[in-house]
Amino acid sequence: MILKSLHISNFRNFEEIDIDLTNKNIIFGLNDIGKTNLLCALRFLLDRRFRMKGFIDTDFYNRNIQSTISITLTINIEDENDEDNKKIYSRMKGAISSDAKNIHIRLISKYNDVTLMGEPELFWGTNEEDLEEIPSSQTFFEIDKLFNVIYIDSSISLENEFKRYTKDILRGNTSLSEIERDSVNTIIDELNQKVGDLENIKNFENDLVTEYKNFRDENDLKISVRSEIELNNLHTKLTPYILNGDSGIYPTSGDGRKKILAYTIMTLENRELEEKKINIFLVEELENHLHRSMQIALSYQLFGDEIFKHLFITTHSSLIVSQMDNVNLIKLFKDEKITGKSYNYIVPLEYKKLKQKLNEKLAEAIFADTVLLIEGPSEKTLFERILFEKHKKYESQGGYMLEVDGIDFKTYNSVLKNLGIKVIIKTDNDLKLNEGKKEVNLLGLNRGLRLINEDMRSNLPNIDIKEYKGENEYKINLQKEIFDTTYNDEVNTLQENNVYLSRVDLENDLYCVISEKMDQVALDNGSSKNGIDYLQTSKLINMIKLCNMLDSEDCEKILNHHLFKGIKELVESCSH
């Protein structure tokens, strides 16, 4: 079973929205954008307990009760060997053909002016234009035998989950043997008797009788206080504790421990239902009140445990999704109406061992509206200094800066763009001199052209490096020539697509703007090198020293220089 798509119309803040799905879906976006409402749509469709509430007028888009609420889930069932697909065939029976590829489950609801409610009607089948009504008895539909929806939110209560689960464990006629029941009942009877015989209890009974007769004197009046512990209510007296190594018992008093244990109980409970029903987990903002280590632990569980194979999760935390792989990223945003974009994200094979590094940066960026991709920490240090001076609140207005740091730009660029996020790229004009073949590989230019799906340019042939004083000087002169003349049209095309190629690299470009400051920082730190060579030695440390010397005027010069259009584009995008 593979979840394929969800269509919602006229429901809450969704006038009309189509979302591609897969079996693990991560939903994100600004507050009040509709993440919870999307989960509620699924709950109305698949969860009987939630559906029983019916629809009130505020469930209709803009309270337009003249229109019909419609929620349709499409599921691919082509794999005949899939156990969940077998459950679907078993329940749908006549509503499904043996060669079906997809099934559709639809809820519609029309507002009733008499009852002031919208009653849900459910349909299913393989022909989306001609679905069959799902058999039902009052509020129970046949589909409710098929799906087990588990909704988990940040307000989950350990006490409630523990008592509910232990009640099932101790339910007499199903969970305990006759010997166990008799033994426990004997002990409970003895305990109740001992409690009733306590001297303080007897004194309390006498006090009650005396006080009662002040209101109404009755002959032979007796009041008995009894302990009524029973097997059926014993679960209310159980309390979970965690053994903490050799130091004894540690009560689960902290919010973090309580939440993790509550999630554990829910997982354990629903693991037992897997053979009977299809589990679908709807998880909302687990990160609340959890330390980062616990968020990471939950991420391993959510994206590694097979029980969560059908998952919808909303989050604002990059740590919760740090272990994601083969997931569907769904970003909700508002234009004239609420819309959404989705992207099926699979960690590239070459980055499987670097998954956490790749995901950590990506998971931060997907929450932004505009992302500037940069080479590494030197660029980030410089640009953050400029932004602190010129637009310190850029992140609060949807901006983000991501250093790729050895990861290919392409991976980040593809994911972010497909989610409707504006991507700006700043990359070096790298060259590779190949003296043996007498040619130059245009690494930086072709990197940019690949990112905008343009044809790459041929390497520069017939180069005689020996004519120049040194390889480094030759490369720098050639880089400037490529930027200014030879491939200036291509450089402009890149800029039109928000890909900004350095004329040479960060340090050489910066020297075109603030050469005196760069030479001064080298001199002040006892170096005989010029500002470029100094910054390219211990790059990050020396960049920090330079940034500490920059003033507002320096930052203004850099921001408005044509070689630093990328950072200017980020500022302008976050100022709208």
Side-chain angles (χ1 to χ4, degrees), residues 425-441:
I425 296 171
K426 173 67 172 171
T427 186
D428 289 343
N429 187 9
D430 295 319
L431 299 178
K432 181 180 179 183
L433 302 181
N434 191 325
E435 188 173 358
K437 293 183 179 180
K438 293 187 177 181
E439 65 178 17
V440 174
N441 297 335

Side-chain angles (χ1 to χ4, degrees), residues 222-234:
K222 292 183 179 180
I223 296 176
S224 177
V225 176
R226 298 175 182 269
S227 170
E228 293 188 346
I229 299 173
E230 296 177 351
L231 186 57
N232 288 338
N233 66 23
L234 189 59

Side-chain angles (χ1 to χ4, degrees), residues 487-547:
Y487 289 114
N488 184 251
D489 288 344
E490 285 79 0
V491 170
N492 289 333
T493 298
L494 291 178
Q495 292 188 9
E496 289 168 4
N497 289 272
N498 296 321
V499 177
Y500 296 92
L501 187 69
S502 291
R503 191 168 184 241
V504 178
D505 54 28
L506 176 66
E507 292 80 13
N508 279 276
D509 287 4
L510 196 56
Y511 201 73
C512 294
V513 190
I514 53 166
S515 56
E516 291 183 3
K517 273 285 170 73
M518 291 172 65
D519 288 339
Q520 186 63 48
V521 75
L523 184 63
D524 288 351
N525 285 277
S527 175
S528 60
K529 297 178 180 179
N530 64 29
I532 296 173
D533 293 338
Y534 176 73
L535 279 188
Q536 290 181 338
T537 306
S538 301
K539 294 179 69 169
L540 179 57
I541 294 173
N542 291 339
M543 179 60 77
I544 292 172
K545 292 176 181 177
L546 173 65
C547 287

Side-chain angles (χ1 to χ4, degrees), residues 443-454:
L443 300 180
L445 180 66
N446 283 329
R447 179 189 307 128
L449 293 172
R450 278 196 303 270
L451 290 171
I452 62 172
N453 297 317
E454 290 280 325

Side-chain angles (χ1 to χ4, degrees), residues 477-492:
N477 289 331
L478 189 56
Q479 285 167 316
K480 294 175 181 177
E481 182 181 323
I482 287 169
F483 186 93
D484 295 333
T485 57
T486 311
Y487 289 114
N488 184 251
D489 288 344
E490 285 79 0
V491 170
N492 289 333

